Amino acid sequence: MLDIVPAAPAPMTLPQALADIEARVARAPIRTKPFPHIVIDDLLPSAVRQSLDMFWPVKDRLATTNYFQRGELRISVLAESSEGRERQFWSALRHLGTAVGRAVRLRLTRHLAEKFRPMIGPDWHRKLGKTPFTERDSLLAEYSGVVDLVPHVDNARVVINGFVYLDDPDQPTPDPRRGTMLYRSLGFAWPSNTSIPKTIRDGLLREAGEIGWQDNRLLAYVNGPWSFHGVPRHDLGAARRRLLMFGSLLDKGAMAKVYDPEFL
């Protein structure tokens, strides 16, 4: 039996952690404006949350991207490259993230037409087929310094995106701590995460509300062509903006059937 290994003495089993999280997902109200999303406070049981702080990889293990100095690392890589209790934790978390991603997708399933109908038509169910989704891995990410994520939608392969805010236990984040800004579209849609011209962003998108930063808070949403979101500009200083990210992707077969890979 895989255990979610906590900092405290008593372990929590994977089925216990999953049952706790699935119950929270099932109770979460669905917000439909400006696009379908859910927000869940205290998503992770304390054993899981404490273990993330205990085993969080040092900065050198995170692959640096050119996306505002973001470092990231897949849970599967940690599970394969660690040993002992750490390996046990990351292996369990990989299973947990897969199950949670599926639970969130099922919670939002009646809103999936908001992604697929405008992009591939009213018969999107038939075009996609019966099992087009994959939820096989999760991701750790962290930022530092100045963060300024302009309004955007995620890659078209992303069906549901979800991330859990995680405070930095080593360095307090200076105020104001910013979460994720959601934007209302004035009739504008955008299919994937290619850059949007500033004049269009400024002219056709309006702030609709911020999902404020709070430790262990989940934001998950249907990634449709008007699911515009971003992070207002602020300076983290030496502190880290940490995220546990998971979600649902279209499998590669479905992508090849319904989207032009050269465009997306």
Side-chain angles (χ1 to χ4, degrees):
M1 176 74 69
L2 285 172
D3 287 339
I4 296 289
V5 183
M12 174 179 245
T13 66
L14 182 59
Q16 288 171 333
L18 180 56
D20 186 273
I21 294 174
E22 285 181 331
R24 294 173 188 268
V25 172
R27 293 193 302 265
I30 298 175
R31 309 178 186 185
T32 58
K33 295 181 180 179
F35 48 85
H37 66 282
I38 59 175
V39 177
I40 304 175
D41 290 342
D42 301 317
L43 177 80
L44 302 175
S46 59
V48 182
R49 179 64 191 88
Q50 292 170 22
S51 295
L52 275 165
D53 283 348
M54 178 191 298
F55 295 123
W56 191 271
V58 296
K59 185 175 182 180
D60 289 348
R61 294 189 70 185
L62 300 171
T64 302
T65 71
N66 59 1
Y67 200 56
F68 285 96
Q69 306 290 326
R70 183 168 106 174
E72 61 185 37
L73 189 59
R74 294 196 174 277
I75 301 296
S76 59
V77 173
L78 285 163
E80 293 165 1
S81 60
S82 303
E83 297 180 353
R85 295 176 72 219
E86 182 178 356
R87 182 186 184 95
Q88 182 183 12
F89 172 69
W90 293 125
S91 296
L93 189 64
R94 184 181 182 186
H95 287 281
L96 188 69
T98 296
V100 174
R102 185 180 304 114
V104 170
R105 172 171 56 81
L106 293 175
R107 185 74 183 95
L108 290 167
T109 191
R110 71 177 183 269
H111 297 282
L112 293 184
E114 299 222 9
K115 175 178 179 63
F116 296 118
R117 185 183 180 93
M119 296 186 74
I120 57 178
D123 60 343
W124 61 272
H125 277 293
R126 180 187 61 79
K127 290 182 178 179
L128 288 178
K130 291 183 179 180
T131 57
F133 304 112
T134 178
E135 292 117 354
R136 290 183 296 182
D137 209 349
S138 304
L139 186 75
L140 301 182
E142 68 175 44
Y143 303 79
S144 59
V146 175
V147 178
D148 184 12
L149 304 183
V150 298
H152 63 283
V153 300
D154 298 320
N155 187 279
R157 192 180 175 197
V158 178
V159 179
I160 303 291
N161 198 12
F163 38 85
V164 183
Y165 299 147
L166 302 171
D167 281 348
D168 185 347
D170 302 320
Q171 178 73 37
T173 303
D175 291 328
R177 296 198 300 174
R178 305 305 299 262
T180 303
M181 183 66 70
L182 309 185
Y183 293 85
R184 175 173 61 92
S185 168
L186 304 181
F188 170 62
W190 199 247
S192 193
N193 61 339
T194 52
S195 179
I196 303 170
K198 185 178 185 300
T199 53
I200 295 178
R201 293 198 315 262
D202 293 346
L204 297 177
L205 298 178
R206 298 290 182 270
E207 292 184 355
E210 184 173 348
I211 309 301
W213 183 277
Q214 181 174 304
D215 183 63
N216 205 11
R217 169 176 283 172
L218 166 74
L219 167 62
Y221 51 89
V222 176
N223 177 46
W226 41 73
S227 298
F228 296 102
H229 61 284
V231 180
R233 182 182 176 87
H234 64 295
D235 191 348
L236 295 167
R240 296 170 295 170
R241 177 186 179 92
R242 302 190 307 164
L243 303 171
L244 169 61
M245 307 180 70
F246 60 86
S248 298
L249 306 178
L250 279 177
D251 65 30
K252 292 183 179 179
M255 282 294 291
K257 286 192 297 183
V258 300
Y259 295 128
D260 183 346
E262 292 186 5
F263 177 67
L264 300 174

